[in-house]
Amino acid sequence: MTQELFTINNLWMMVATILVFIMHLGFASLEAGLTRAKNTVNILFKNTITPAIGILCYAFVGFNLMYPGSDFAGQFFGFAGFGLNLPEGWDSSNYNAGYTFYTDFIFQAMFAATAATIVSGAVAERMKLGVFILFSFIYVGLCYPIVGMWQWGGGFLKTMETPFYDFAGSTIVHSVGGWAALAGAFLLGPRLGKYTPTGMKAIPGHSIPMATIGVFLLWFGWFGFNGGSVLTANPGTVSLVFVTTAIAGSAGAFGALIASYLKFKTYDITMVLNGILAGLVGITAGADQMGVGEAAIIGLIGGTLVVFAVVFFDKIKIDDPVGA
């Protein structure tokens, strides 16, 4: 590979890292908008401290736990030691054919921090700040990198006879964050007054414009989330991933629009916003493998399912203020 091509690939990875970082502002805006005004500062504080915790934890523990580079690979966990250490005999520029060691770390660190941010919306308005900070340290330092190692670090999912495939993290990032969010919402219980003897009482968010801005920021960042996961600036693959990402998000919006209108006989903007995110989450696992038609079907299914998922969780009295 020529030095010019290496520089282009590395530069694209860094641009994608910036796009994923912007997603934290999207999560902050979405979660603040869909919760009550009195909790805005708490929500913003959580979404501000989470990327800081994520980057630090991933630097000192998570990165080496997720990519052990040792005989632990293929098992359930591995660890290459503390700190952000280059492999022996390497420097940052010869670490990989497409990007430097530090570019690899910072791109992966953004994913780790994003996984923790998913949880903050589901536990909004009930979890004390100090407890959430402690959770974030444990989640980013241990939980996420261990699961990530199972696939991206050469673990058992990667080495199965029929290998598991997750291009950019539908399961490794979003599903793991979703399961943690579900556990948190279940353990904390619903907000006071949400479920009454006479039925469910809606607790609407205070700023739909802020929530809408948040979703557009997330959609914007998703082009880096998926596009950067190509791990090169290969024009054919990156452009395909951009298209499938855009198509799935758009189809998710329509899936949620149709399903929510048929279900509630009204146009619900919050369902459409979550439908966009559901379509994006759905395509993330195979954004480099799908065509336009497949991406549209995946997005449509995701956007439809999210409507019924919101209804289902309310029915079993699990309170998720943002539909995480």
Side-chain angles (χ1 to χ4, degrees), residues 4 28 49 67 91-92 106 139 141 182 188:
E4 291 80 6
I49 203 66
Y67 299 98
D91 60 41
S92 180
I106 197 64
Y139 182 82
L182 177 59
L188 288 170

Side-chain angles (χ1 to χ4, degrees), residues 9-47:
N9 287 334
N10 192 70
L11 178 61
W12 164 238
M13 290 286 291
M14 290 190 287
V15 170
T17 299
I18 294 169
L19 292 174
V20 179
F21 183 74
I22 289 172
M23 294 175 75
H24 289 286
L25 178 57
F27 277 117
S29 301
L30 173 64
E31 293 170 16
L34 291 182
T35 52
R36 290 170 290 189
K38 66 179 182 178
N39 293 301
T40 298
V41 173
N42 179 274
I43 295 292
L44 295 179
F45 199 110
K46 287 176 182 175
N47 281 276

